[in-house]
């Protein structure tokens, strides 16, 4: 490409030289072509390239002066203006130096061109007057020196922009690279998963091979100065299959200390919250070990172990667990990041689908409705009763479909962050759907300043939306009760109606219920579907150890 540009400009100045001073001055064009060969074939050589560009600049300065004098002798131009035939070629060596990042060389070449033009103009006389004393010569030289300087500065800026573009990857290119690496890592993880809960369960299984424990849990941040339980095992102090672990970071506990200090903590106190009396036969003495899961400089989680005995963990217990905890911290961090990326991608895809549906099929259905209205307006007054009835029935069906579509668009666009929290998002959806269906909506909201992970909140919102939509479409109800209780890491959402209930109590074949079950399992929750007394249905999703509530 550089050779083509050089040849094109050399041809241009050759044509100008012939027009201004005749064929005899083409010797300067030949000299320039020869001087440019080293820089053409070795443009980045540390010695040859700068010397070649300097030779070109000096040849241009001297040649322009001789061509100016020859133009005056030939009567083509007066006052040295003919120098402009060769001066455009100054752009070649100076621009090349700037583009390759040699700013000092470009400045030196510009200075050499100025000195060369002045020196040659002082030695060449035209009609007994020095060329440098000619106003035309000075004007044309100054003009081209300014133009070439601007071109050099532009070329330097372009070169810096190209380097910056190469050194800083574009967002989508960088995202593609990172996601490709993430996919490779995911395939190498145990179970080929990037599910935080699955990785936490695998970590607990690994810990069992290293040390003994009666209870174990993996906790991670959930926002608002709280932690959430990703996975746990062992019986609680009250004999239940779950323990209420201390998840507040502003308390005096080994969990809070380990999170803040990134140092393992051994305690003689249980790190659970005893809500009931201890189970018979359970020791009152407890030993706890909390090991922080640190990836780089960031704490991504905690591994908590307990034994129902005093002094159950020797001082070197934490060191033994490091061989398991450190690799798990990296895996857990990758899984949490992937969970966040997946949540963002899912929300973006939902928004895209909503836009496409709104701009496509929704608008077309509205036009169909208008077409039916026009057809009704143009029917003859007599003899079209049957056609009118059918058209009105069709118009009512189109209106119903448009209403359903608008509710579906609202469901697609609903996001937790947009409404400021999970309970607020569910309440807003229930109000709008209830108003459109003529349902009386009764809300009971018990929210917490702490937040669940974004992916968990998104799944709970979709489960609640599906339950509310099912009640609107299939229950034939007049009342809808929505109860939300969120206290991370626990949550419980119930949707009840006073409709016809679940036919034959068979729910396994219902596609919407199957989706709700999959969503609940994905966040380590459980879905409960039961009749509501005296009639109707209750759909509940429970996360963690939230107590079950029955609507009245």
């Amino acid at each position: 490409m550089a050779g083509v540009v050089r040849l094109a400009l050399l041809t241009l100045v050759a044509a100008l030289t012939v027009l201004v001073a005749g064929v005899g001055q083409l010797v300067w064009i030949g000299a320039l072509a020869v001087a440019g060969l080293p820089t053409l074939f070795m443009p980045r050589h540390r010695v040859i390239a700068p010397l070649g560009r300097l030779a070109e600049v000096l040849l241009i300065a001297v040649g322009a002066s001789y061509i100016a004098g020859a133009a005056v002798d030939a009567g083509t131009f007066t006052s040295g203006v003919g120098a402009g035939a060769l001066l455009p070629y100054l752009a070649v060596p100076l621009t090349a130096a700037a583009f390759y990042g040699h700013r000092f060389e470009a400045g030196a070449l510009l200075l050499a061109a100025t000195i060369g033009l002045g020196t040659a103009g002082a030695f060449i006389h035209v009609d007994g007057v020095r060329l440098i004393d000619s106003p035309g010569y000075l004007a044309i030289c100054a003009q081209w020196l300014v133009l070439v300087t601007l071109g050099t500065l532009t070329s330097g800026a372009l070169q810096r922009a190209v380097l910056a573009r190469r050194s800083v990857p574009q967002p989508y290119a960088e995202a593609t690279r990172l996601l490709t690496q993430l996919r490779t890592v995911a395939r190498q993880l145990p179970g080929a998963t990037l599910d935080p809960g699955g990785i936490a369960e695998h970590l607990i299984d690994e810990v069992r091979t290293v040390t003994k424990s009666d209870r174990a849990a993996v906790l991670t941040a959930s926002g608002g100065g709280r932690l959430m339980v990703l996975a746990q095992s062992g019986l609680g102090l009250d004999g239940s299959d779950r323990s209420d672990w201390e998840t507040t970071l502003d308390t005096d506990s080994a969990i809070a200390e380990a999170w803040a200090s990134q140092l393992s903590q051994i305690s003689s106190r249980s790190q659970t919250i005893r809500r009931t009396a201890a189970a018979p036969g359970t020791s009152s003495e407890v030993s706890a070990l909390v090991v922080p899961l640190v990836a780089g400089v960031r704490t991504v989680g905690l591994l908590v172990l307990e034994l129902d005995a005093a002094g159950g963990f020797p001082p070197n217990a934490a060191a033994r667990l490091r061989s398991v905890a450190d690799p798990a911290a990296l895996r857990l961090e990758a899984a949490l990041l992937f969970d966040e990326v997946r949540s963002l991608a899912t929300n973006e895809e939902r928004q895209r689908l909503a836009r496409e549906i709104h701009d496509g099929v929704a608008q077309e259905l509205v036009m169909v409705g208008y077409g039916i209205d026009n057809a009704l307006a143009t029917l003859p007054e007599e003899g079209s009763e049957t056609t009118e009835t059918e058209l009105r029935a069709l118009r009512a069906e189109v209106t119903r479909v448009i209403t359903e579509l608008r509710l579906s668009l609202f469901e697609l666009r609903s996001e937790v962050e947009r409404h400021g929290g999970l309970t607020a998002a569910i309440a807003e959806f229930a109000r709008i759907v209830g108003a459109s269906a003529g349902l009386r909506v009764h809300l009971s909201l018990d929210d917490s300043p702490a937040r669940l992970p974004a992916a968990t909140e998104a799944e709970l919102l979709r489960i609640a939306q599906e339950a509310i939509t099912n009640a609107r479409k299939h229950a034939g109800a007049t009342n809808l009760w929505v109860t939300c209780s969120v206290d991370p890491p626990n949550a419980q959402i119930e949707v009840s109606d006073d409709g016809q209930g679940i036919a034959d109590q068979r729910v396994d074949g219902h596609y919407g219920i199957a989706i709700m079950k999959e969503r609940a399992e994905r966040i380590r929750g459980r879905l409960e579907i039961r009749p509501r007394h005296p009639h109707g249905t209750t759909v509940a999703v429970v996360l963690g150890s939230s107590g079950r509530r029955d609507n009245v």
Side-chain angles (χ1 to χ4, degrees):
M1 184 64 181
V4 173
V5 174
R6 183 183 291 268
L7 179 61
L9 197 54
L10 195 63
T11 303
L12 174 63
V13 296
L16 292 175
T17 299
V18 171
L19 290 175
V20 169
V23 178
Q25 298 299 321
L26 286 178
V27 63
W28 297 106
I29 306 301
L32 281 176
V34 174
L37 291 178
T39 57
L40 179 62
F41 294 106
M42 291 179 288
R44 296 182 182 275
H45 196 280
R46 297 179 60 182
V47 177
I48 295 178
L51 290 178
R53 286 189 280 267
L54 177 61
E56 287 181 297
V57 167
L58 295 177
L59 279 172
I60 293 168
V62 176
S65 301
Y66 274 96
I67 291 173
V72 174
D73 292 339
T76 307
F77 287 104
T78 59
S79 191
V81 177
L86 195 60
L87 286 177
Y89 201 74
L90 268 177
V92 172
L94 270 74
T95 302
F99 186 78
Y100 290 124
H102 307 310
R103 289 180 292 176
F104 294 108
E105 181 191 341
L109 292 177
L110 189 61
L111 179 62
T114 304
I115 295 173
L117 287 169
T119 303
F123 280 97
I124 297 176
H125 292 71
V126 178
D127 295 334
V129 178
R130 293 188 310 171
L131 197 59
I132 197 172
D133 295 329
S134 171
Y137 178 78
L138 292 176
I140 200 69
C141 289
Q143 172 186 326
W144 279 107
L145 285 173
V146 169
L147 290 175
V148 170
T149 300
L150 293 176
T152 302
L153 293 175
T154 303
S155 179
L158 179 62
Q159 184 265 348
R160 289 191 294 273
V162 170
L163 287 179
R165 187 179 181 88
R166 289 176 179 174
S167 61
V168 181
Q170 297 302 299
Y172 280 99
E174 181 70 1
T176 300
R177 183 183 67 82
L178 292 175
L179 289 173
T180 300
Q181 292 179 352
L182 198 58
R183 180 180 61 186
T184 303
V185 172
R187 291 172 177 172
Q188 297 173 352
L189 291 178
T193 179
L194 273 174
D195 172 44
I199 291 176
E201 289 179 351
H202 182 78
L203 173 58
I204 291 176
D205 291 339
E206 284 187 303
V207 166
R208 287 174 180 161
T209 65
V210 178
T211 187
K212 181 183 177 182
S213 65
D214 292 314
R215 285 171 299 283
V218 175
L219 287 68
T220 190
S222 65
R226 300 289 294 269
L227 301 176
M228 71 166 294
V229 179
L230 286 176
Q232 62 176 316
S233 67
L235 295 178
L237 292 174
D238 57 358
S240 64
D241 60 349
R242 286 177 175 268
S243 298
D244 286 327
W245 295 94
E246 179 61 66
T247 58
T248 305
L249 291 177
D250 57 1
T251 58
D252 182 17
S253 66
I255 285 178
E257 181 64 25
W259 184 273
S261 66
Q262 295 187 341
L263 298 174
S264 299
Q265 303 292 321
I266 296 178
S267 175
S268 58
R269 292 189 302 169
S270 174
Q271 300 304 297
T272 64
I273 302 172
R274 300 194 187 196
R275 302 190 185 276
T276 59
T282 303
S283 173
S284 59
E285 295 182 328
V286 177
S287 301
L289 172 61
V290 185
V291 179
L293 303 175
V294 181
V297 296
R298 193 167 75 93
T299 304
V300 297
L302 296 174
L303 171 64
V304 187
L305 305 176
E306 285 193 354
L307 268 173
D308 294 330
F313 297 104
N316 63 346
R320 294 204 311 269
L321 289 175
R322 278 294 174 191
S323 61
V324 176
D326 289 345
L330 296 174
R331 294 197 297 266
L332 184 58
E333 182 183 40
L336 293 171
L337 289 173
F338 181 75
D339 222 27
E340 184 178 354
V341 170
R342 180 172 56 188
S343 178
L344 292 172
T346 300
N347 287 336
E348 177 62 27
E349 183 64 12
R350 294 176 73 91
Q351 297 299 318
R352 185 188 67 81
L353 286 173
R355 289 193 298 268
E356 289 188 359
I357 293 173
H358 177 271
D359 297 338
V361 66
Q363 300 299 326
E364 294 174 2
L365 280 173
V366 171
M367 296 306 297
V368 170
Y370 290 156
I372 295 174
D373 292 339
N374 291 335
L376 284 168
T378 57
L379 282 175
E381 295 181 0
E382 297 181 359
S384 59
E385 291 80 3
T386 303
T387 303
E388 181 179 359
T389 301
E390 292 177 351
L391 285 176
R392 291 192 183 281
L394 182 59
R395 184 65 174 92
E397 183 64 17
V398 170
T399 301
R400 185 192 67 79
V401 172
I402 291 174
T403 302
E404 292 285 341
L405 197 58
R406 285 173 176 168
L407 289 174
S408 297
L409 289 176
F410 176 70
E411 182 179 347
L412 281 172
R413 286 173 171 165
S414 294
E415 295 181 14
V416 173
E417 294 302 330
R418 181 177 298 178
H419 296 85
L422 175 61
T423 57
I426 294 175
E428 179 68 11
F429 184 80
R431 290 191 190 101
I432 291 179
V433 172
S436 68
L439 292 170
R440 288 192 296 273
V441 179
H442 311 272
L443 297 173
S444 176
L445 309 178
D446 182 10
D447 207 350
S448 168
R451 295 286 297 272
L452 293 164
T456 301
E457 290 185 335
E459 295 290 4
L460 290 173
L461 173 61
R462 303 309 171 199
I463 292 172
Q465 287 177 334
E466 181 67 25
I468 293 170
T469 301
N470 286 343
R472 176 183 67 85
K473 286 184 175 180
H474 309 300
T478 57
N479 289 277
L480 183 69
W481 291 269
V482 178
T483 302
C484 301
S485 175
V486 179
D487 184 22
N490 306 316
Q492 178 170 324
I493 299 169
E494 287 188 358
V495 177
S496 299
D497 63 75
D498 58 356
Q500 61 189 2
I502 303 173
D504 301 327
Q505 300 301 315
R506 290 180 297 165
V507 298
D508 292 339
H510 196 290
Y511 184 64
I513 293 177
I515 292 176
M516 287 192 289
K517 285 185 175 180
E518 290 176 1
R519 291 186 182 277
E521 291 171 358
R522 195 177 300 156
I523 57 175
R524 298 286 187 287
R526 62 185 185 275
L527 187 71
E528 301 174 358
I529 302 176
R530 55 185 183 272
R532 178 188 176 275
H533 182 75
H535 50 80
T537 306
T538 294
V539 177
V541 57
V542 180
L543 185 67
S545 58
S546 294
R548 172 172 151 173
R549 299 178 182 179
D550 294 322
N551 287 339
V552 180

